[in-house]
Amino acid sequence: MPGSSSSASYEKAKEVMAMATSVAASMMLVRSLANDLIPPEARSLLSYCLSGLQSRMAWRHTIVVEKTDGYYTNNVFYSVKTYLASRMENDNATRDVQRLRLSSGGFGLDDEDDPEKLVLGMEEGEEMIEVYQGAEFRWSLHSHDLPGDSSTTLGRGGGRQYYELTFHKKHKEKAIKAYVPHILATAKEIRDKDRPLTIYMNDGSDWSPMDLNHPSTFDTLAMDRTLKRSVIDDLDKFIKRKAYFKKIGKAWKRGYLLHGPPGIGKSSLIAAIANHLRFDIYDLELTGVHSNSDLRKLLIGMTNQSVLVIEDIDCTIDLKQRDDDSNTSSSTTKDDNNKQVTLSGLLNIIDGLWSTSGEERIIVFTTNYKDRLDPALLRPGRMDMHVHMGYCTTEAFRILVNNYHSIDYHATYPQIEALMEEVEVTPAEVAETLMRSEEPDVALHALIELLKSKKELLAESATTSTDQEEDCDRAKEDEEDSDDAKDNSGDDDNEAES
Ligand SMILES: Nc1ncnc2c1ncn2[C@@H]1O[C@H](COP(=O)(O)OP(=O)(O)OP(=O)(O)O)[C@@H](O)[C@H]1O
């Protein structure tokens, strides 16, 4: 009814007017009370503080990082989350933060990445301060509710989450050009460290990927301590020298030649290198590559930050083809492409196109027989480091026992170490024997038996070879006697002839 609705509006307006009048009256009362009760000095201090706060706020700049960007996930939000979580674990940054969140999940875009992993996070309303390059940056987490928004489920408690990064206006350039890139790079580094590595194997001219779950690390690798240190130092130095390689005009790659008998841990060292650098492995089986052009395609298809492995290089490629190749160097490109893969083809691609098309590449060749390799492979500058891995030393043996039985010493050590001085045993043989029992005592006695049997075999073969040498000497003597006899009879003949 129109009459009743206009009277209701009139009543409402009256109510609002009454409320406004009472608020104005209260404010006048508060002001006159403040004037009466607060001394003038305190009043001016208060007003100074309020104006200071106001001007300080004016100097503040804020960057907002929302969890979603329209309908899309905002990756930057997750990078910030990863970065702040790492700061909370490592730094004093959380000293003044009273409430933290603890949740499961990895650092990826999906919170459920790894349910085993515990991640610290910020609680809404808390503030974390970080000083970067002398500038203070304040982080806080908020959420705002957007009723009816389909993305509300993404936020905690039904809101859209966002981080606020606040800093002094004068640090704006530093924030955008240095601090934010630093956060993104650190978050990427953390994620890379967390992600499973991949091993690629060649299938025709393509790579097939598989998760690399090789547990070998430099800690578990049984190897001479000094040699191990020099390999680690060399890798670490290589990784830090991007600018250096650019300056000297060389491709940012490094070559290692691992040589030594089978079972001494060449594959374990490769896995340790990949785990140390967090690089993927490309395991190139050359017998499966049918032409130099397929090889080129495979090598160009590799990603940066990877290790190219060519095992048993002496067996998988016909090294002599290098000479044949140089003889037919005038052949056309078509001929080249159709030809079987050759060592020169491999070296040309590695030194040429492949070098310039990627960065942070490690190449590892392995061989059981270094002396069989083409000098082209051994030439300085091609394989930067030659790593000779020998039979198991007492030092390597102790590392293996520690790996498999978590002990540093056992009463059998003197006997085992004395035997190891006399016979050659590979780390693979030692590892296999140590795994036979979970009881260190049983496993170590099994190792003594293995070493003793090797010693007996050695003695037997020494006796056999002495016998053979004696037989050989005797046969030689007999031969010489019969030659002498023949010569004498010849003289007789010659004499007869003459
Ligand atoms: N130096 C080592 N440190 C730790 N474990 C080792 C070592 N050498 C061998 N092993 C153990 O022996 C197994 C075989 O070793 P690995 O495959 O690394 O030897 P390899 O030298 O690459 O042999 P091959 O030349 O036959 O490929 C490994 O899985 C590992 O368990």
Side-chain angles (χ1 to χ4, degrees), residues 389-409:
M389 300 180 72
Y391 287 104
C392 195
T393 59
T394 52
E395 192 184 2
F397 152 71
R398 286 183 181 226
I399 295 175
L400 287 171
V401 182
N402 197 286
N403 288 350
Y404 292 97
H405 294 284
S406 309
I407 56 169
D408 289 328
Y409 189 78

Side-chain angles (χ1 to χ4, degrees), residues 214-217 219-224 228 258-271 311-312 366-368 389-390 392 396 399-400 403-404 426-432 435:
H214 203 301
S216 176
T217 64
D219 286 338
T220 62
L221 194 67
M223 189 177 164
D224 174 72
K228 195 193 282 190
L258 313 186
H259 59 103
I264 39 124
K266 294 185 291 293
S267 310
S268 306
L269 175 57
I270 293 166
E311 292 206 69
D312 300 320
T366 76
T367 178
N368 296 338
M389 300 180 72
C392 195
I399 295 175
L400 287 171
N403 288 350
Y404 292 97
T426 63
E429 287 172 304
V430 175
E432 193 271 324
M435 275 194 303

Side-chain angles (χ1 to χ4, degrees), residues 167-202:
F167 46 87
H168 195 284
K169 193 176 165 180
K170 67 181 176 196
H171 298 311
K172 187 175 171 188
E173 190 166 328
K174 190 175 278 175
I176 292 168
K177 293 203 176 142
Y179 188 52
V180 171
H182 159 74
I183 287 169
L184 298 182
T186 312
K188 182 178 178 299
E189 220 171 80
I190 295 166
R191 274 200 300 267
D192 281 353
K193 217 168 114 203
D194 245 31
R195 78 176 170 100
L197 296 181
T198 305
I199 179 162
Y200 295 87
M201 274 162 287
N202 53 309

Side-chain angles (χ1 to χ4, degrees), residues 145-404:
D145 290 313
L146 297 175
D149 188 336
S150 61
S151 62
T152 50
T153 48
L154 289 170
R156 213 167 61 85
R160 257 191 187 176
Q161 282 189 309
Y162 62 97
Y163 284 105
E164 265 190 13
L165 170 63
T166 315
F167 46 87
H168 195 284
K169 193 176 165 180
K170 67 181 176 196
H171 298 311
K172 187 175 171 188
E173 190 166 328
K174 190 175 278 175
I176 292 168
K177 293 203 176 142
Y179 188 52
V180 171
H182 159 74
I183 287 169
L184 298 182
T186 312
K188 182 178 178 299
E189 220 171 80
I190 295 166
R191 274 200 300 267
D192 281 353
K193 217 168 114 203
D194 245 31
R195 78 176 170 100
L197 296 181
T198 305
I199 179 162
Y200 295 87
M201 274 162 287
N202 53 309
D203 181 6
S205 57
D206 293 318
W207 293 108
S208 332
M210 265 172 60
D211 275 358
L212 172 69
N213 291 315
H214 203 301
S216 176
T217 64
F218 279 109
D219 286 338
T220 62
L221 194 67
M223 189 177 164
D224 174 72
R225 198 185 306 268
T226 321
L227 182 60
K228 195 193 282 190
R229 191 69 258 162
S230 66
V231 175
I232 298 173
D233 288 348
D234 194 76
L235 290 168
D236 290 346
K237 199 161 140 196
F238 166 73
I239 287 307
K240 290 186 198 133
R241 297 184 104 188
K242 180 176 184 168
Y244 171 77
F245 275 88
K246 202 171 169 189
K247 195 176 122 206
I248 61 168
K250 270 192 76 174
W252 192 13
K253 66 179 171 67
R254 193 106 183 124
Y256 296 87
L257 175 69
L258 313 186
H259 59 103
I264 39 124
K266 294 185 291 293
S267 310
S268 306
L269 175 57
I270 293 166
I273 291 175
N275 285 327
H276 180 71
L277 299 176
R278 304 297 303 159
F279 278 15
D280 291 329
I281 291 182
Y282 287 81
D283 190 3
L284 183 63
E285 177 56 59
L286 280 176
T287 48
V289 185
H290 303 300
S291 65
N292 282 335
S293 65
D294 277 357
L295 179 64
R296 193 174 303 134
K297 200 174 155 206
L298 282 166
L299 296 187
I300 289 170
M302 286 177 60
T303 53
N304 289 339
Q305 302 196 319
S306 55
V307 185
L308 170 66
V309 178
I310 303 177
E311 292 206 69
D312 300 320
I313 182 77
D314 52 301
C315 311
T316 54
I317 201 162
D318 182 3
L319 300 176
K320 289 189 190 70
Q321 282 190 46
R322 185 178 166 77
D323 298 330
D324 300 347
D325 232 38
S326 52
N327 293 338
T328 55
S329 56
S330 60
S331 57
T332 62
T333 317
K334 187 164 177 285
D335 288 339
D336 265 353
N337 286 345
N338 292 335
K339 224 175 343 181
Q340 277 283 301
V341 64
T342 58
L343 179 67
S344 65
L346 174 69
L347 296 178
N348 284 341
I349 299 166
I350 286 176
D351 285 349
L353 193 59
W354 187 68
S355 296
T356 49
S357 67
E359 291 187 328
E360 280 188 280
R361 304 273 178 88
I362 305 266
I363 311 158
V364 181
F365 286 128
T366 76
T367 178
N368 296 338
Y369 310 98
K370 188 182 171 188
D371 50 333
R372 288 189 195 168
L373 294 183
D374 189 304
L377 259 177
L378 303 173
R379 174 188 105 195
R382 187 141 270 151
M383 290 291 113
D384 301 284
M385 193 171 184
H386 293 195
V387 183
H388 172 66
M389 300 180 72
Y391 287 104
C392 195
T393 59
T394 52
E395 192 184 2
F397 152 71
R398 286 183 181 226
I399 295 175
L400 287 171
V401 182
N402 197 286
N403 288 350
Y404 292 97

